[in-house]
Structures are given as structure tokens and as C-alpha cells.
Amino acid sequence: MKTTDVPQDLEYFKDNVIRDVMYAVDDEGRYTGVLSDGWSVKNDALSAVWDDIREQCEVIRQQVLRHEVSPLAYHLKKQLQTVGMLAAYAEVPKRMVKKHLKYKEFIKIDDETLQKYADALRITTDELKRADEWK
């Protein structure tokens, strides 16, 4: 692909600073990095993945509403984090994170731990306590 042919299908990077770097052949035949605003094929794949994640989040949200799991489970999925990642970011033992995925344990969490989780997930403690519908 030539540098002039690098796709610029702006969708996911719209209004963001993030851009892809693609490698293409310049006028002198050398490979060079070219900034791209996206590629429709990649955008379609990302859309499919995000649709799947939204569906999974909705299943978890319904479980939260039935008090089967805690809102923490919903936010973990929504933020694409694992128990291990959240434990590391929040500086909380993994076993404690697993415990707090249970609704009955989550409602007992002290404010300091709630704040650690919220900070690690980059949301407020009020948002952490809810599992709002993803729009």
C-alpha cells in the first residue's frame, strides 16, 4: 500500500487524539509509518466486538438488578478489566475483589475501598454503586 492509500475512515478516533500508525511504501519505495484516522474494515470489527461487550454488560446488569452479582462485576466488564487488573490498580488483594463481586459482600464495603475501586475504574463512587444502562 502506498502512503497516499492509507485509509482515513474516521469513526472510532473521531474527536480523539489517538490515531493508528500504519506502514506503507513512500514515493522512494521505503516503508514508513503513516498516521491513519481509521479503516472501515477495522471499524466494522470493532463495532462487532463492542456490540458483544454491550450484550455481556446487559446480562450482568440484569444480574445486578436481581442482586445476583454486585455492580462491581458490571463495571469490570464495561471497563474491560479483570479481577487481577482491578486488584493491582486499586491496590486491593485479588481475593477481596472476588469477594466484592458478590452483591451481599459489596454492600458492606467501606468508603475507602469503594473509593479505591472507583478511582481504578475512573468513575465516581455513586456510579460504582449503580449499573446504569449502557448508552
Side-chain angles (χ1 to χ4, degrees), residues 57-118:
C57 283
E58 182 56 25
V59 168
I60 295 170
R61 193 177 81 78
Q62 293 301 321
Q63 291 173 327
V64 171
L65 295 175
R66 292 189 303 269
H67 297 177
E68 295 171 2
V69 298
S70 76
L72 186 59
Y74 173 78
H75 291 289
L76 266 180
K77 177 56 78 174
K78 188 174 179 184
Q79 297 288 338
L80 306 178
Q81 289 193 28
T82 64
V83 168
M85 290 167 66
L86 182 60
Y89 295 150
E91 298 179 346
V92 172
K94 272 194 215 180
R95 65 176 169 70
M96 188 179 289
V97 175
K98 288 179 184 177
K99 178 181 172 181
H100 292 152
L101 292 175
K102 299 173 185 166
Y103 188 85
K104 290 180 180 178
E105 297 299 328
F106 180 81
I107 60 176
K108 300 176 193 175
I109 298 176
D110 61 86
D111 290 341
E112 182 182 347
T113 305
L114 269 177
Q115 189 62 57
K116 285 182 177 184
Y117 286 147

Side-chain angles (χ1 to χ4, degrees), residues 7-85:
Q8 302 294 334
D9 301 326
L10 193 65
E11 183 174 334
Y12 282 98
F13 297 144
K14 186 176 182 182
D15 300 325
N16 287 310
V17 188
I18 300 170
R19 296 171 77 189
D20 271 345
V21 174
M22 301 183 90
Y23 291 90
V25 179
D26 66 14
D27 293 336
E28 296 172 16
R30 295 178 295 189
Y31 278 96
T32 184
V34 180
L35 290 177
S36 171
D37 286 324
W39 183 30
S40 62
V41 174
K42 183 176 180 179
N43 292 342
D44 292 346
L46 285 171
S47 288
V49 169
W50 280 113
D51 288 345
D52 185 49
I53 292 167
R54 281 187 189 93
E55 286 176 22
Q56 292 173 31
C57 283
E58 182 56 25
V59 168
I60 295 170
R61 193 177 81 78
Q62 293 301 321
Q63 291 173 327
V64 171
L65 295 175
R66 292 189 303 269
H67 297 177
E68 295 171 2
V69 298
S70 76
L72 186 59
Y74 173 78
H75 291 289
L76 266 180
K77 177 56 78 174
K78 188 174 179 184
Q79 297 288 338
L80 306 178
Q81 289 193 28
T82 64
V83 168
M85 290 167 66

